[in-house]
Amino acid sequence: GGKQVGVASAVARGLNEKASMMEVEFGRVDVKELLGRLLILDEEEEVDDHDHGHGHKHSEASPCTEPDCTDASHSHSHEHSSECAEPDCTDTSHSHDHNPEESSCTDTDCTDTSHSHSHDHKASTAADQLGIASFVFKSSTPFNSQRLIALLNRWPVPIKDSLDFGLVMGMGQETKFDGDETIEHGAFVGVLRSKGFCWMAPTKWSDKSAGGDVWRHDTAMYWSHAGKHFGITSSGKWWGTLNKEQMKPYFADNMEEYDRIMREDWVSEEWGDRRQELVFIGTNLDESEIQAALDDCLCTAEEMDVYRAQLRNYMDATFTTVND
């Protein structure tokens, strides 16, 4: 309905206040709207990209006083010695600076046009009004795959048939879906978007037996969630599957990127760039609760000892087979 459209528009505006928005049905948009807006954006970029300090020298001749003159070759800096005090005057040829020293009206509902309404709107953006915020979850420890999947199966928004803005805006810990199901992790109710890379620990260290997922050790997983859509898919190998000397040839033409990976992504010498790096965007996010829920899914110290032992056994068996 109209209320949901209004909230959705406000959320979009909060995420990108410069974005153009149009209310349409079934995605039907006049192509002229799209192309026209692109041309306007291009023109604005051209204006912003060049230097406006042209430094032309203008003569000191007296300015033109003809209000209808459109000749750009001379100055039109008209001087108006007296200011009009008539509030209903619409003549644009002189100033209408009515009583500038009077205090401004602070009544937000006032519609009287005879005085100033210079209300302070510095903190009235859609992001502020809706409480839109973001934070990044980081960790150098893998997720216990089974605990993470169990958490995601109880995540409220993705399992809904549609994104319920009323539910998203309601942050109560006892919020319910249709029926009697109670949300166990209310901290995730306000999450509108989340994405990033995650590291999941294998559950069966075998690439031969059914259900073996040793591949998780070397595979970066891409986490993508928007509204009711959620997915975790493979996204290639971690750079940590190679040592640094093996990596460098891949960056022969771009060592700056290699240096950036070493500086920002390489979390440890033991695990390389294997890590959790997830961005959460939403309304009234409870960062501490989301952090705690995800921390509970990370492998414990004991589980990491098992991880290391399983990895050694797998590597020994792999190299023994190769040598044989």
Side-chain angles (χ1 to χ4, degrees), residues 167-284:
L167 177 62
V168 169
M169 297 302 292
M171 298 297 112
Q173 292 298 314
E174 295 299 320
T175 305
K176 295 185 178 181
F177 292 120
D178 299 332
D180 297 327
E181 182 183 3
T182 300
I183 297 174
E184 297 182 39
H185 294 284
F188 291 102
V189 175
V191 177
L192 300 173
R193 181 82 167 97
S194 59
K195 62 179 181 177
F197 294 100
C198 59
W199 173 22
M200 300 176 69
T203 56
K204 290 186 177 181
W205 285 83
S206 173
D207 53 5
K208 297 180 180 180
S209 63
D213 59 353
V214 66
W215 53 268
R216 294 187 189 278
H217 171 67
D218 288 335
T219 304
M221 305 300 293
Y222 182 68
W223 168 310
S224 179
H225 153 238
K228 66 175 182 176
H229 302 288
F230 190 102
I232 296 180
T233 56
S234 61
S235 184
K237 301 292 186 181
W238 295 109
W239 282 113
T241 58
L242 305 174
N243 62 46
K244 294 179 180 179
E245 292 305 315
Q246 291 172 325
M247 281 180 61
K248 287 181 179 179
Y250 290 94
F251 298 94
D253 297 327
N254 189 8
M255 288 305 294
E256 290 183 359
E257 177 61 12
Y258 172 83
D259 293 336
R260 186 202 64 77
I261 293 173
M262 292 296 108
R263 182 176 63 256
E264 299 178 8
D265 300 341
W266 207 260
V267 296
S268 70
E269 291 303 317
E270 181 179 15
W271 304 113
D273 62 332
R274 295 176 178 86
R275 67 195 188 282
Q276 320 296 352
E277 189 168 326
L278 302 170
V279 179
F280 291 86
I281 304 171
T283 58
N284 300 327

Side-chain angles (χ1 to χ4, degrees), residues 10 21 44 55 82 223 244 271 285 311 318:
M21 292 189 297
E44 289 178 348
S82 61
W223 168 310
K244 294 179 180 179
W271 304 113
L285 297 181
L311 178 59
T318 300

